[in-house]
Amino acid sequence: MDKDIKSVDDLKNEIKDGQHITSVNVLFLDVSSSCVGYSIFNLSFVGKKSILTKAGCLWLDPNWDHAEKYSYIFNALSNYFWTVEQIDYIVVEQYSINPKKMVGVAVVPEMMGVVKCAANENGVKVSSILPQSWRSILGIKADVTVNAKGKKERDFKDPAKRYVDALFTVPPQVVSNITKNQRQTPSDLYDAVCVGLAWTKKIGFATTDVSNVKINDHIGIA
């Protein structure tokens, strides 16, 4: 089970085993079978200052088999995010299997293991936060509609997008790491930002500076 980080002191101890540190870079991930959204926060323990520095998304080629997807994310984490972004800690959105939505059910749980394995390559630890937890912390509620069969459907994607768009400008399209062409900015990016905002708030960072966020700034990932 992932360790539940409840405070700034918990985070400091988890990263450096009690050694003196002043700031860390935390990577937040929203993992799906087709795309991985990410956000990076710099957390300063001096004055409890939180800065959202980057956010982006890594698409997974639909023609890849599972092993190719896992290898891609493993190398992105253990190489790029470690060497370029100097990540000290990783937080993922916890994944729970929904029997009514089985798409990606084989990929995502295994991808979580890949994330932990890649992090371990560089001594980085991983924890998680439930979707309902980060939504509750940020006050994000579902848009409820009724489908053609008269059943209510709950959508959290648009509310999360609106929450982020109210804080800073996210371009409607970003360049795909697979095709190198413009694609609609996926919900995974917005969710990864919300995961970071909620988790940092949960452990004691009351506010986050979002005035200079770089979007899809992952040059160097093949």
Side-chain angles (χ1 to χ4, degrees), residues 142-203:
D143 287 342
V144 181
T145 58
V146 179
N147 63 23
K149 296 181 180 180
K151 292 186 177 181
K152 289 184 178 181
E153 295 184 341
R154 294 160 59 83
D155 169 50
F156 286 101
K157 300 301 182 184
D158 283 343
K161 180 179 183 299
R162 291 196 300 268
Y163 187 93
V164 175
D165 283 338
L167 298 177
F168 62 92
T169 301
V170 177
Q173 293 186 325
V174 293
V175 175
S176 166
N177 53 295
I178 301 298
T179 66
K180 311 306 179 185
N181 297 323
Q182 293 279 344
R183 288 189 61 174
Q184 181 178 342
T185 304
S187 60
D188 309 84
L189 183 154
Y190 296 98
D191 284 358
V193 170
C194 288
V195 168
L197 291 170
W199 191 87
T200 52
K201 185 175 182 179
K202 177 178 79 81
I203 69 167

Side-chain angles (χ1 to χ4, degrees), residues 111-128:
M111 189 75 82
M112 293 299 188
V114 170
V115 169
K116 293 179 181 180
C117 183
N120 187 67
E121 285 292 294
N122 297 305
V124 174
K125 295 184 179 180
V126 181
S127 65
S128 62

Side-chain angles (χ1 to χ4, degrees), residues 45-217:
F45 300 129
V46 180
K48 291 187 180 180
K49 296 179 180 179
S50 170
I51 303 173
L52 171 56
T53 59
K54 297 184 179 183
C57 51
L58 298 175
W59 276 281
L60 304 173
D61 194 318
N63 296 317
W64 289 346
D65 60 27
H66 291 182
E68 288 177 291
K69 293 181 178 181
Y70 303 154
S71 178
Y72 186 85
I73 294 302
F74 179 91
N75 283 289
L77 292 172
S78 61
N79 295 321
Y80 175 80
F81 283 105
W82 171 252
T83 59
V84 178
E85 303 298 352
Q86 300 182 8
I87 297 302
D88 300 294
Y89 196 74
I90 297 176
V91 179
V92 297
E93 181 190 64
Q94 186 169 323
Y95 180 74
S96 301
I97 294 177
N98 183 344
K100 296 180 180 179
K101 296 181 180 179
M102 299 300 287
V103 175
V105 70
V107 176
V108 180
E110 292 183 338
M111 189 75 82
M112 293 299 188
V114 170
V115 169
K116 293 179 181 180
C117 183
N120 187 67
E121 285 292 294
N122 297 305
V124 174
K125 295 184 179 180
V126 181
S127 65
S128 62
I129 184 172
L130 287 164
Q132 54 266 41
S133 295
W134 67 254
R135 291 167 186 156
S136 175
I137 292 170
L138 299 182
I140 294 176
K141 298 181 179 180
D143 287 342
V144 181
T145 58
V146 179
N147 63 23
K149 296 181 180 180
K151 292 186 177 181
K152 289 184 178 181
E153 295 184 341
R154 294 160 59 83
D155 169 50
F156 286 101
K157 300 301 182 184
D158 283 343
K161 180 179 183 299
R162 291 196 300 268
Y163 187 93
V164 175
D165 283 338
L167 298 177
F168 62 92
T169 301
V170 177
Q173 293 186 325
V174 293
V175 175
S176 166
N177 53 295
I178 301 298
T179 66
K180 311 306 179 185
N181 297 323
Q182 293 279 344
R183 288 189 61 174
Q184 181 178 342
T185 304
S187 60
D188 309 84
L189 183 154
Y190 296 98
D191 284 358
V193 170
C194 288
V195 168
L197 291 170
W199 191 87
T200 52
K201 185 175 182 179
K202 177 178 79 81
I203 69 167
F205 293 89
T207 60
T208 294
D209 182 353
V210 297
S211 62
N212 190 30
V213 184
K214 295 181 180 178
I215 303 296
N216 245 36
D217 189 40

